[in-house]
Amino acid sequence: MPKVKTNRVKYPEGWELIEPTLRELDAKMREAETDSHDGKRKCETLWPIFKVSHQRSRYVYDLYYRREEISKELYEFCLDQGYADRSLIAKWKKSGYERLCCLRCIQPRDHNYGTTCVCRVPKHLREEKVVECVHCGCQGCASGD
Amino acid sequence: MAHRILRDHEADGWERSDFPIICESCLGDNPYVRMTKANYDKECKICTRPFTVFRWRPGRDARYKKTEICQTCCKLKNVCQVCLLDLEYGLPVQVRDTALNISTHDSIPKSDVNREYFAEEHDRKARAGLDYESSFGKMRPNDTILKLQRTTPYYKRNRAHVCSFFIRGECTRGAECPYRHEMPETGELSQQNIKDRYYGVNDPVAMKLLGKAGEMGTLESPDDESIKTLYVGGLNSRILEQDIRDQFYAHGEIESIRILADKACAFVTYTSREGAEKAAQELSNRLVINGQRLKLTWGRPKPDQDGANQQGGVAHSGLLPRAVISQQHNQPPPMQQYYMHPPPANQDKPYYPSMDPQRMGAVISTQEAGGSSTENNGASSSSYMMPPHQSYPPPPYGYMPSPYQQQYPPNHHHQPSPMQHYAPPPAAYPYPQQPGPGSRPAPSPTAVSAISPDSAPAGSGAPSGSSQQAPDVSTATGSSQ
């Protein structure tokens, strides 16, 4: 048989420190995926997915950019393996989007009148104070509040 | 059904439009409205053909509204595309049709292919520019419908729907629930059907409204048989007494018409009760003068006969001015007093001579002999009770407030004559005279100058030359001398 290339994961150093948390978050995601939909609205069933995804990406982003506890290599490894969302982190690096909830909420094509989601509006500028956005259940991700 | 697949949206049969045909209430109170337009998004609730759906939010506290029926259906009945109420009057189709006695009912087929065919034909004709029978433009509004119509927009219908989870007690959304957390209205009115409402058949709201309209028309006669006065409300400055007379004379002999301009109302008294009743019946919901719709009801008698006409007081005769009411306190009133709606609080305004019938020439027999008419006292009539609304009692002539004093002292000995200008001598009271000289400074100097050369013969000849009220003057001057 010809040699088949397999991709075997080679964990960089420092991985042991972050692995438990990442495994935990993975388990949480699995739980969100397999939850039943009873008692929830149709859009509400997806909210935990977005929440966990945000949480995971946030963890990796914090480690590298804020706390600087992992190396670039490890960081890139996490992004490649799918433990964090690269494009979401790319948004977090921009000013005004530091707390962005998900990528759907800033996509004008997804909204009527080509706007962004209501969760992006700062609370002091909104009329309804309590709001859960329909995409990800976010209650306000503007950088101000 | 026989719907065609959209191959070419320019082709006949499928509706396109640029702006919805909607009423003011449905459009909302916000002048800025963002609207989405979706071609062929939904099917019309009546004719089930695809049409352009517009969706917008009519105001800040409103839910999103969208057009429910197509423009063809809406034009056939002249209704709003969203609420299916008439565009001009805001009334349900059934009410408008009954009130105006029109019936588009039968001409529109209601079933199946018939209906689609009719709608398409209509649409095609409209697009071809043929001016079909758009009879709604030619309707003359009649009284009933003008009374029933909605004049201001009604935004309550734009509120969010009631939260169905809340009704069951299960709403877990709490504060962020966009639906109303109230119990729904139950009863007859809550079972409405869009097709019934559109065709004007069996519409509970319409029935209710028509029921109310039926009762509204009748104006009951009051129990008190002696009331012969009708109250006319909603006057404006363009309506003259002659206009009122023209409207009312046909029903009976008019005894008097009194207009109160500051209250925008009038009282029409007939000599006979039958005349008044006839007028009430004929004109009750139909009174329009010079394009102004007027309210007509029976005049109401005053509840108490004592000096209830106090300041800011309640009851006041619609027929008789206050001065004469006070006179009538002295005699048993031969007829009843009437209410004014609302009573004028007249303390600060000058008391116009034209409000006093005596100054306008009416003769009141009991007062002449008792007329005060002393030299200094001619102004204050002791036999007259002070009209109660006045804020200060009439001072004797000499105590007139100073602004007027320089006019009076020179007139003082010509007193009878200037008095003629400002008050009939027997019934004179100084208060009316105060604004008199204030408001008519011009006449008084001329009067003075006219009188002064005549003063030598002690004014007896002068009055005849300068006065306008001949009969009383001579007696006054006679008694004052």
Side-chain angles (χ1 to χ4, degrees), chain B residues 363 368 468-476:
Chain B
V363 172
E368 277 180 15
Q468 294 95 3
Q469 291 148 353
D472 298 330
V473 168
S474 43
T475 33

Side-chain angles (χ1 to χ4, degrees), chain A residues 41-108:
Chain A
R41 313 201 306 266
K42 220 159 71 164
C43 52
E44 202 178 335
T45 52
L46 294 177
W47 292 354
I49 312 276
F50 285 97
K51 189 160 186 247
V52 177
S53 164
H54 175 105
Q55 228 174 346
R56 259 194 330 205
S57 307
R58 197 83 209 174
Y59 179 63
V60 173
Y61 169 84
D62 271 351
L63 280 176
Y64 184 63
Y65 285 100
R66 299 271 164 256
R67 285 145 58 177
E68 287 164 11
E69 285 170 8
I70 61 179
S71 62
K72 186 162 188 290
E73 193 196 346
L74 184 51
Y75 170 70
E76 290 295 327
F77 173 77
C78 289
L79 293 181
D80 293 334
Q81 294 297 311
Y83 291 106
D85 186 352
R86 196 189 289 268
S87 26
L88 185 56
I89 292 178
K91 287 286 183 272
W92 285 340
K93 292 194 236 171
K94 295 187 175 183
S95 83
Y97 295 87
E98 287 91 352
R99 299 208 202 152
L100 184 61
C101 56
C102 63
L103 292 166
R104 286 174 77 187
C105 291
I106 48 170
Q107 178 66 270

Side-chain angles (χ1 to χ4, degrees), chain A residues 4-36:
Chain A
V4 180
K5 269 208 177 151
T6 52
N7 287 338
R8 194 172 162 277
V9 190
K10 281 193 292 278
Y11 292 99
E13 55 318 329
W15 171 251
E16 318 75 43
L17 304 169
I18 61 175
E19 187 187 354
T21 327
L22 285 178
R23 292 290 174 224
E24 230 178 84
L25 289 169
D26 272 358
K28 211 166 159 197
M29 179 62 108
R30 184 63 53 81
E31 213 184 285
E33 287 168 4
T34 53
D35 247 354
S36 104

